[in-house]
Structures are given as structure tokens and as C-alpha cells.
Amino acid sequence: MHLSTPQVQSALRVARAARAHVRCLATPSSSKGSFSQILADGPSLDDFIADRVPERVVLGNKNAPRLPSYLKTTIPKGASFARIKKDLRGLNLHTVCEEARCPNIGDCWGGKEGMSEAEGKKAATATIMLMGDTCTRGCRFCSVKTSRTPPPLDPHEPENTAEAISRWGLGYIVLTSVDRDDLADGGAHHFAETIMKIKQKAPQILVEALTGDFAGNLEHVGLVAKSGLDVYAHNIETVEALTPFVRDRRAKFRQSLQVLEHAKKSGVRVTKTSMMLGVGENEDQIMDALRELRKSDVDVVTFGQYMRPTKRHMKVDRYVEPAEFDRWKQVAEDMGFLYVASGPLVRSSYKAGEFYIENVLRGKSAERRTKTLVADKALETNAQS
């Protein structure tokens, strides 16, 4: 077979190109020389020591705000922390402290140095999460697992939780739960039953319930509010304008206000809510939110820094300085809130607030008992005269 001249030239070009791409073991790397040259041309050890480096290599996203030093916490440890964690695992209880990756877990569970076991438990605070560890909602700030069809409720959970808490030796306990929109009552009866059983077994324990909005069903809110709890908490999380972008679409700012207002009207002594800062809010929006909370007769408000749990969650808009948290604390106190906890690491169940609320509640109980005794004495005196 005879090839024409153009065909021969084409075949030669293909052969040369193939040889150019074939690399034998002895073929020197084309990048090796250039890399060596880069090293030779770069700064020397003496330059680094003398801090004469012309450029610094920055890893990660340079545009994202850096985590300030005041938001960095130590690794949880201590005897009280280890005991509580062991107890929880043995009792098969879930805590929002772990599920939501709270930065205060070491502080709240650790108690204080030098305490006895009983004193450590008394000083420690844990927030027990009822109805499982899987939520039916997907808020953009929360790291709790989500599913449209979470596992069914454990019918023994109210009894087991009450028994565990009564034996635990705590003076103040916080109960919360995932949202259960898959249930007809949102889990209200389950929540209320747990509180009633705790009060039956250990009436001296003060109980705070941090609930969802029960899809705005005020009958279910009233059921929990009248179960014997001491503090009814429900978090608005952020200002009204940002609610659709921060919380699940089923959660609404006005709906949350109605929940808090109805809980107070149902006879709850103290109502409580929490707001995250650093998600894009401005001062006017925070002031509007505080005014609405006072209109709803909310007693306690807490402010904390939003911290992104994972890269799948919404980004931090800014890191709020401690001085600004102090200012909002003063503003809220001046507006008439019973108690305000405000700081970068403060969360809705932060133990410092609970110590104060515990004293307030015990003070209110003593005041109520005194008024009752005075009234009884007055009736007795009138009857004798």
C-alpha cells in the first residue's frame, strides 16, 4: 500500500506527538527544576527569623470574620462533667448541650472546683431533651438532626426521666424538646406528663420548660403551662425581619410572642426567651423585638453570639464585642425585664441565669406563703372579733 506525501507527514506528526507524551523512568520531571528554583528564590531561614517575609500564606476563607479569642473555650473536663456524662449515657437521656454543641457544656456540667459530689451536682446544670434527638424542623442555625418522620415517642420516657432527675440531686432542671410536627399535639401531653411526674417525685426541684411553638396551638401551650412548671421558656431566636431567613419556615415571630403571652396568662410565674446576635440584625430591630417582648409580659431575656455549628449552616454575619452585649443588658434591664443574661457565650439555658431565677422563684414562693399566712391570720382575727 502506497501512502501519499500528506498522509506520511501526518503520520510522522502523530508519532512525534506520541513520543513527546511518553515518559520513561529516567525522564527528569519538568516541574522539579522550577520548584527548586522557587525554593532558591524564596525567603531564607534568616528572613523568617528576622520577620522579613514579603508575603504570608493565609489558609481558609480570608473574607469570613475570624473567631475572636473571647469565644474560644477550653476542652470540657472535670469530675462533675464526667459523672453527668456517665449518668446520661446510663439513663439513655439526651441533652441539648451535646446535640446542639453548646460551647458552655464544660462550664455548666463542670460545677466549681473543690466541690463535693453533691455540691457539684447542685451547681451543675443540664438541659434534658425529650422526645428523641431528631427534629421535624430545619432551622438554619441548629445542628440537631432533622427528619420528617422521626422515631416514635418512648412511652416510658416521662417516668424514666422523672426518676433519673429525682435521684440526680439537682435543684434546678431545664427540659426542652425537639419539634415534633408529626404528632397531633406536637408532644404537649408527653412534655406535661414528664413535668408532673418530676413534681410528684421531687417537688422541691424547680423545672424550666423550653418548648417549641406547638404550631401556634395555644391549647397545647396551656397544657404544658399548667403542668406545674416554674419557668416557661420559648425562644424567638432573632428579630422579626430575619425570622424567615434564620428559623424554619413554620416558625414565626408573632406566633412565638403569642406562645409566651398565653403561657403567662395560663398562670406561669416566669416567662423567658432568648435572642442570637451576629446574624445580620441592626439596633432598631433589636429594640423593636424587646418592646414586643415587654408587651407580651416576658420576664427574662438572654443575648448570645450566634456561632456556626458546621459549614452547612448559615454564616456568621459578625462577631459582637462583649461591650455591646453589656450595653444590651443595660438597655433590657432599663426596660423592666426581671433578669437579663447577655454575653458572647450566653445561651438560653445558661446556668448563671438559672441561679438568679432559682432565687427569684424561691423568693416568690416565700412571698406567696407569707401573704397566705397573713391573709389566714386576718380571717382568723376577724372571725374571733
Side-chain angles (χ1 to χ4, degrees):
M1 179 177 65
H2 298 283
L3 298 174
S4 62
T5 302
Q7 290 175 320
V8 171
Q9 292 175 343
S10 176
L12 290 172
R13 281 198 299 272
V14 171
R16 281 196 296 269
R19 283 199 303 271
H21 287 88
V22 173
R23 183 177 173 199
C24 301
L25 292 176
T27 305
S29 170
S30 58
S31 62
K32 187 174 182 180
S34 59
F35 182 69
S36 301
Q37 188 62 40
I38 291 171
L39 287 178
D41 295 340
S44 65
L45 179 61
D46 293 335
D47 291 326
F48 277 105
I49 295 172
D51 199 23
R52 293 194 299 266
V53 184
E55 292 184 12
R56 295 183 180 274
V57 177
V58 180
L59 301 177
N61 185 359
K62 293 187 290 184
N63 298 323
R66 303 290 294 174
L67 186 70
S69 58
Y70 54 80
L71 283 173
K72 296 176 181 177
T73 57
T74 58
I75 297 173
K77 60 181 180 179
S80 178
F81 175 84
R83 279 194 300 269
I84 289 178
K85 189 165 187 176
K86 182 180 178 181
D87 288 347
L88 289 168
R89 296 291 79 79
L91 297 166
N92 196 29
L93 296 177
H94 301 283
T95 67
V96 74
C97 317
E98 295 173 295
E99 299 296 334
R101 305 181 185 184
C102 180
N104 295 318
I105 188 169
D107 189 24
C108 291
W109 288 17
K112 293 181 181 178
E113 292 295 330
M115 283 185 168
S116 65
E117 182 175 348
E119 290 172 333
K121 285 185 176 181
K122 180 73 175 178
T125 300
T127 303
I128 304 299
M129 191 156 70
L130 304 175
M131 298 190 275
D133 61 354
T134 306
C135 187
T136 54
R137 298 191 183 182
C139 295
R140 294 161 183 82
F141 62 88
C142 183
S143 64
V144 174
K145 293 186 293 185
T146 62
S147 172
R148 291 181 180 178
T149 55
L153 297 182
D154 176 6
H156 303 294
E157 184 178 51
E159 176 67 29
N160 293 342
T161 302
E163 180 63 28
I165 289 172
S166 65
R167 289 192 281 107
W168 215 349
L170 300 179
Y172 192 108
I173 189 71
V174 183
L175 300 176
T176 188
S177 74
V178 291
D179 281 294
R180 292 299 300 259
D181 299 292
D182 59 314
L183 303 174
D185 67 344
H189 285 84
H190 192 90
F191 215 130
E193 184 184 358
T194 304
I195 296 169
M196 288 187 285
K197 286 187 178 296
I198 292 172
K199 287 295 186 177
Q200 288 170 4
K201 292 177 181 293
Q204 78 281 0
I205 294 179
L206 297 173
V207 178
E208 175 182 328
L210 174 58
T211 77
D213 57 19
F214 298 110
N217 189 314
L218 298 183
E219 182 181 343
H220 296 153
V221 173
L223 179 67
V224 177
K226 296 174 182 178
S227 62
L229 54 76
D230 299 286
V231 178
Y232 193 109
H234 172 68
N235 293 339
I236 60 171
E237 306 294 3
T238 187
V239 298
E240 185 171 13
L242 295 180
T243 296
F245 308 102
V246 174
R247 302 172 69 187
D248 184 274
R249 58 181 175 78
R250 288 162 286 188
K252 299 175 179 62
F253 184 83
R254 295 288 162 178
Q255 185 168 277
S256 291
L257 291 177
Q258 291 172 359
V259 168
L260 290 162
E261 188 172 355
H262 188 75
K264 197 62 172 289
K265 289 178 179 178
S266 299
V268 173
R269 288 182 286 171
V270 175
T271 51
K272 178 180 174 182
T273 195
S274 181
M275 290 178 63
M276 299 179 294
L277 301 185
V279 298
E281 71 289 330
N282 60 45
E283 289 198 8
D284 291 338
Q285 292 170 337
I286 297 173
M287 285 300 303
D288 288 341
L290 290 175
R291 292 189 192 101
E292 293 298 329
L293 291 172
R294 288 306 300 135
K295 287 179 185 177
S296 299
D297 202 16
V298 175
D299 299 295
V300 178
V301 63
T302 68
F303 298 98
Q305 170 69 53
Y306 166 63
M307 296 176 69
R308 191 182 189 186
T310 71
K311 291 184 178 179
R312 295 182 290 105
H313 293 81
M314 67 178 188
K315 296 179 180 179
V316 176
D317 179 71
R318 68 187 178 104
Y319 289 112
V320 181
E321 292 291 328
E324 186 174 341
F325 279 107
D326 293 339
R327 185 166 62 83
W328 282 118
K329 176 180 172 66
Q330 188 62 53
V331 168
E333 288 176 344
D334 292 343
M335 292 177 71
F337 285 95
L338 176 69
Y339 175 70
V340 183
S342 182
L345 290 173
V346 168
R347 294 297 179 264
S348 61
S349 298
Y350 190 59
K351 70 174 185 178
E354 282 145 22
F355 287 153
Y356 181 87
I357 294 170
E358 181 176 349
N359 292 331
V360 168
L361 288 171
R362 297 201 188 282
K364 282 192 173 186
S365 297
E367 181 182 351
R368 188 170 63 253
R369 286 195 299 271
T370 301
K371 287 182 178 179
T372 302
L373 289 171
V374 170
D376 290 344
K377 187 68 175 177
L379 288 172
E380 183 180 340
T381 303
N382 292 334
Q384 289 175 352
S385 61

